[in-house]
Amino acid sequence: MRALLQRVSEAEVTVDGESIGRCGAGLMILVCAMQGDTEVAAERLAGKVARLRIFRDEEGRMNRSVLDIGGGALVVSQFTLAADTSRGNRPGFSTAAAPEEGRRLYEHFAGALAALGVPVETGQFAGDMRVRLVNDGPVTIWMES
């Protein structure tokens, strides 16, 4: 699985003008299941995300996790993280998991993150979403399982 994490002071996703997910201080996580990914990969990624020390401690160092700060996560599916831009000008997405498998693994990742104690809200799988966030830092991290 692939994930793009952004440390945020707030984030929100809307569909048709309606807010369907939001978080305050914590993480905005864009997630893509790749062909061959498994539930184990989703759980491993969720564990790494929950324990990733990218939040400031009392001395201003990135030394605390989202769990340490009591932060939340907004998890949004984004198959375009599978983009292959090695040839031509149009990205290819053939390495992304099939939609049914992508949905299952996306939901499994969100559930695994919540099971670790991170309050999780989600976007709408395959939905036409609008995402608004305030990146804190800015801090943006690319992760793969």
Side-chain angles (χ1 to χ4, degrees), residues 8-140:
V8 297
S9 55
E10 63 182 277
E12 178 181 33
V13 62
T14 60
V15 174
D16 296 328
E18 297 285 325
S19 178
I20 64 166
R22 65 176 51 204
C23 75
L27 296 171
M28 169 66 209
I29 308 170
L30 303 173
V31 179
C32 177
M34 306 294 288
Q35 288 181 9
D37 281 341
T38 64
E39 291 177 348
V40 171
E43 292 163 8
R44 185 176 25 218
L45 184 60
K48 288 183 77 156
V49 166
R51 293 184 292 275
L52 188 67
R53 298 184 322 178
I54 60 171
F55 293 89
R56 293 181 190 97
D57 63 13
E58 300 76 26
E59 296 176 6
R61 294 190 176 123
M62 289 198 305
N63 201 28
R64 301 181 79 202
S65 71
V66 68
L67 288 169
D68 294 334
I69 68 157
L74 178 58
V75 179
V76 175
S77 65
Q78 187 165 2
F79 82 95
T80 59
L81 292 180
D84 177 1
T85 59
S86 63
R87 296 187 337 221
N89 295 316
R90 183 174 181 196
F93 303 102
S94 63
T95 58
E100 307 80 36
E101 185 70 357
R103 176 190 303 266
R104 188 180 70 77
L105 289 169
Y106 159 71
E107 291 172 354
H108 191 77
F109 170 82
L113 190 59
L116 291 168
V118 178
V120 173
E121 294 202 16
T122 61
Q124 180 184 70
F125 187 86
D128 184 16
M129 298 173 279
R130 301 292 176 264
V131 179
R132 180 187 60 79
L133 61 96
V134 177
N135 191 316
D136 178 26
V139 174
T140 302

